[in-house]
Amino acid sequence: MRKDYEQHFAECPHCRARQKFHRSLDGTLAVLTSLAVFFFLFALAVLKHIKPLEHVAFNVFGLDISDMYHMLVSAGIAGLCFSVIALGLVLMATPASSYLGGIAVERAKLIEEHLPAAIKSLRPR
Ligand SMILES: [Zn+2]
């Protein structure tokens, strides 16, 4: 079945273009969801950093920052969970991981080919 698929992709430019488009879509989704994970982690880190300022704001402005802070932290954690789940779904439901892995392997090979001979000889075989 897989062989038939691959043969058809090799022969049919239409399907090959479609496959390429969907692969790039999968890759984009994977990148976007991992970016979302990163940004939510960043937001939580920032909130953690802001915590000491909270008391200043509370005393100076008399604001109930604490409630707001807890709300933001909950939103951050919820967002983080959601984006981790989304990333997991993307990686499971699409061939994005193997696709991106393939790209990484290709890049690594390319970089290795362009290494100067002096460095190449230093690398263990
Ligand atoms: Zn076709």
Side-chain angles (χ1 to χ4, degrees), residues 13-31:
H14 174 73
C15 292
R16 204 165 47 228
R18 282 183 67 97
Q19 189 196 30
K20 214 173 163 180
F21 170 73
H22 283 280
R23 286 270 167 87
S24 54
L25 216 64
D26 296 340
T28 309
L29 267 177
V31 168

Side-chain angles (χ1 to χ4, degrees), residues 88-105:
L89 285 177
V90 166
L91 290 184
M92 272 193 301
T94 70
S97 49
S98 58
Y99 174 60
L100 292 176
I103 289 178
V105 168

Side-chain angles (χ1 to χ4, degrees), residues 78-96:
L80 181 64
C81 290
F82 179 77
S83 44
V84 166
I85 291 168
L87 177 61
L89 285 177
V90 166
L91 290 184
M92 272 193 301
T94 70

